[in-house]
Each structure stands twice: as structure tokens, then as C-alpha cells.
């Protein structure tokens, strides 16, 4: 059955989905993410795939977790969690390449109870453009 806008089941396009998801939390600007990570108040989690990390480098201190493993590695109640997944109050700042996939990832973390999860506005590219630290990927 189609909704009033003609889309099946009230489905939305990606732009509207991102708008809805982002309305559920405050996104973080690169400078604020840098300061929060330096102060130990946030865990930066880089979900970019390996080719982008190899091409562009890494954010020093960021935890690298492939997007397809994110929920398993950060669920504080999960059997496959990383030691950094300390509990539902953990402030996670998800970083993708340009700040799109990270929004969907942050929303997914909210569903797991990580209510302080957010993402980096503009992603890694905005971080680098702001002149914040980047190191070459190993290898």
C-alpha cells in the first residue's frame, strides 16, 4: 500500500532519513570532537573502510572499527564488545569520510542504548580541512 506521497509503506528517501536521524542528537564539529577526545570525554570511532584510511591517514587515538562490525564491537552488553565499550554512558563520536554514513551509524548505536552516541559533522574530510592532527596509516 502506498502512503499519501505515493511511496510504499511511507518510505522516505535518504535525505529525509538523514534529517530525521540527525534530529535525534547533536552532531559534533571537528574542533569540539578534538577537544572532547583530548580531554578523555569522548571516544572517536573511525568507521571508514581500509582504502580511505590508507589513502588519507588516521586520526591519532581514534578507534578503528569497520562499519559492518560497529554494533557488535560497541554494544556494552555484547559478547564481542571491545574493552572501550564501557557502558551506555560512553560518548562515542562516529567518524566516516564525509559525515553521512556516520549519522546512520550513530542512530544505530542509540538503538543499542548508547544514548550519547553522535557523529562528526563533515566526517574525516572536515577534520582534515580544519587542520586537526592526521597521521599516515601503517604500512
Amino acid at each position: 500500500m502506498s502512503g499519501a506521497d505515493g511511496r510504499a509503506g511511507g518510505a522516505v528517501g535518504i535525505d529525509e532519513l538523514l534529517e530525521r536521524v540527525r534530529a535525534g542528537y547533536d552532531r559534533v564539529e571537528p574542533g569540539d570532537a578534538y577537544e572532547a577526545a583530548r580531554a578523555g570525554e569522548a571516544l572517536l570511532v573511525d568507521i571508514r573502510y581500509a582504502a580511505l584510511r590508507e589513502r588519507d591517514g588516521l586520526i591519532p587515538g581514534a578507534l578503528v572499527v569497520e562499519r559492518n562490525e560497529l554494533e557488535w564491537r560497541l554494544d556494552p552488553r555484547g559478547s564481542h564488545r571491545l574493552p572501550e565499550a564501557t557502558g551506555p554512558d560512553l560518548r562515542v563520536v562516529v567518524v566516516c569520510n564525509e559525515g553521512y554514513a556516520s549519522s546512520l551509524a550513530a542512530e544505530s548505536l542509540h538503538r543499542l542504548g548508547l544514548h550519547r552516541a553522535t557523529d562528526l559533522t563533515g566526517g574525516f574530510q572536515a577534520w582534515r580541512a580544519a587542520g586537526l592532527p592526521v597521521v599516515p596509516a601503517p604500512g
Side-chain angles (χ1 to χ4, degrees), residues 34 38 58-60 124 127-128 130-135:
Y34 174 72
R38 278 190 53 185
L58 302 169
I59 296 172
F124 179 86
W127 177 279
R128 184 170 64 182
L132 296 169
V134 173
V135 296

Side-chain angles (χ1 to χ4, degrees), residues 107-127:
E107 193 268 343
S108 182
L109 293 177
H110 276 249
R111 291 183 186 192
L112 291 177
L114 293 165
H115 61 93
R116 297 182 67 209
T118 186
D119 75 315
L120 183 66
T121 304
F124 179 86
Q125 297 305 323
W127 177 279

